[in-house]
Amino acid sequence: PAVIWDDPNNRPVNDAIHWLHIEPSPTPDDAQPRRGSFFERAFKRAFDIVFASLAILLALPLCPIIMLAIWIEDGGPFLFTHKRETCGGREFPCVKFRSMRKDAEKLKAVLKQKNQADGPQFYIENDPRLTRVGRFLRKYNLDELPQFWNVLVGDMSIVGPRPSPHRENQYCPPWREARLSVRPGVTGLWQIKRTRRAGSDFQEWIKYDLEYVERHNWWLDLKIIFKTVMIMLGKVTRSD
C-alpha cells in the first residue's frame, strides 16, 4: 500500500485509498514462495490429517464443557465463523468457539479509536467485547480447537501463515500471492515470535509469514509445533 503506518496513535487519514480494490503489483524477488516437491506436499498433507484427527479426538471431551460454559454466560451460538482466504485466495469459513459477545461487531465500530494494532488488525488489550468464558478460552487457545476441522477438510494446515480475510490481504498486495501460495496454519512463526510491540505487529505478521513461505520444511514445522506446545504449557504453569 501507499501508506504503512508505524505509530497506531498517529495514523494518517487517507480516504482516497480503497483497500478492497487495490490491484496486485509484481511480487518482490525476496517474497518468492518455496514450492517444495510433490512428496513434501503430500507428506505435509498426510501429517495434517493425522494430527488434526488425533487433536479432534482428544478435544472431544472438552467440547461439551466449553459449549455449556458459553451457553450459561451468553447463550448461543457456540461457534463463530469468519471468512478467511486459503491457497489461491479461495475463501473458507474459519471456525472457532465464540469468545466474544453477540454484539461484538457493533462494539468494534464504537471502539475503533482505541485500536492498538497497526495495519488492518484490530486489537485492544483487555478487549471489552470478550466474555469471561471467552477470556479463558483465548488465554489457553481453546477457542481455536474447531480449526482442526478446517485442517481435516483441507482449508488449513497445522503450520502455516496466519489465516486472514480478503480485506486484510489487500493491505499487502506485493506479498499477498506468496502468503496465499500455501495453506494458512493453526499456528506459525508469527504466533510464536510476535512481540506485540505497539506499531510493529503488522510488520511482524508479514515478516514472519513470508519467512515461513520461503523456508517451510518438515523440520521447521516440527520446531514451530514444539514451541507452540511449550508456550501453551507455560501459560498453564504460570496460571497454577
Side-chain angles (χ1 to χ4, degrees):
V3 176
I4 296 181
W5 42 77
D6 294 320
D7 184 355
N9 298 316
N10 294 286
R11 292 177 178 152
V13 177
N14 193 336
D15 295 329
I17 299 177
H18 301 286
W19 299 107
L20 297 181
H21 301 287
I22 296 176
E23 291 299 321
S25 56
T27 304
D29 292 337
D30 60 352
Q32 294 295 333
R34 178 186 172 279
R35 296 292 180 183
S37 66
F38 171 79
F39 175 78
E40 288 176 318
R41 295 195 301 271
F43 187 81
K44 182 176 176 68
R45 180 60 188 144
F47 175 81
D48 284 344
I49 292 173
V50 173
F51 194 108
S53 299
L54 291 174
I56 290 172
L57 288 174
L58 291 173
L60 278 179
L62 285 176
C63 291
I65 299 173
I66 293 173
M67 294 167 69
L68 178 62
I70 294 172
W71 182 79
I72 290 174
E73 181 176 3
D74 199 42
F78 308 116
L79 299 176
F80 172 78
T81 59
H82 194 263
K83 291 290 185 182
R84 303 294 174 95
E85 290 187 330
T86 185
C87 294
R90 178 177 61 83
E91 288 192 325
F92 71 97
C94 186
V95 188
K96 294 186 177 185
F97 280 119
R98 184 169 65 88
S99 59
M100 291 190 173
R101 295 165 43 171
K102 297 175 185 177
D103 58 352
E105 286 301 314
K106 293 180 181 178
L107 284 174
K108 183 177 179 179
V110 176
L111 298 168
K112 187 176 181 180
Q113 297 303 319
K114 296 183 179 180
N115 185 15
Q116 297 172 307
D118 59 327
Q121 303 111 308
F122 186 85
Y123 170 77
I124 299 177
E125 192 173 0
N126 299 318
D127 195 327
R129 299 175 300 159
L130 288 171
T131 62
R132 286 174 297 176
V133 172
R135 289 185 190 281
F136 180 85
L137 296 179
R138 289 278 185 98
K139 181 179 180 180
Y140 298 105
N141 302 106
L142 296 174
D143 60 314
E144 298 182 357
L145 288 177
Q147 286 185 359
F148 288 112
W149 173 255
N150 288 124
V151 174
L152 199 59
V153 299
D155 294 327
M156 293 179 63
S157 182
I158 298 299
V159 182
R162 172 183 175 267
S164 51
H166 176 78
R167 182 181 183 86
E168 290 186 7
N169 287 333
Q170 306 316 299
Y171 277 69
C172 53
W175 304 280
R176 178 177 52 202
E177 283 69 34
R179 292 185 66 252
L180 296 179
S181 66
V182 298
R183 292 185 181 92
V186 177
T187 187
L189 275 179
W190 180 68
Q191 287 87 337
I192 65 172
K193 289 190 173 184
R194 67 190 301 187
T195 64
R196 281 291 190 193
R197 287 195 303 264
S200 67
D201 210 39
F202 176 64
Q203 287 88 342
E204 288 185 348
W205 162 34
I206 299 300
K207 169 181 167 23
Y208 290 127
D209 276 4
L210 289 180
E211 182 180 339
Y212 177 78
V213 171
E214 293 167 353
R215 294 177 49 209
H216 73 277
N217 57 57
W218 168 241
W219 291 112
L220 179 60
D221 282 6
L222 284 182
K223 290 178 183 177
I224 292 172
I225 292 171
F226 176 76
K227 289 184 178 180
T228 301
V229 172
M230 291 298 101
I231 290 171
M232 294 177 64
L233 291 177
K235 291 179 179 179
V236 174
T237 303
R238 286 194 298 271
S239 66
D240 292 342

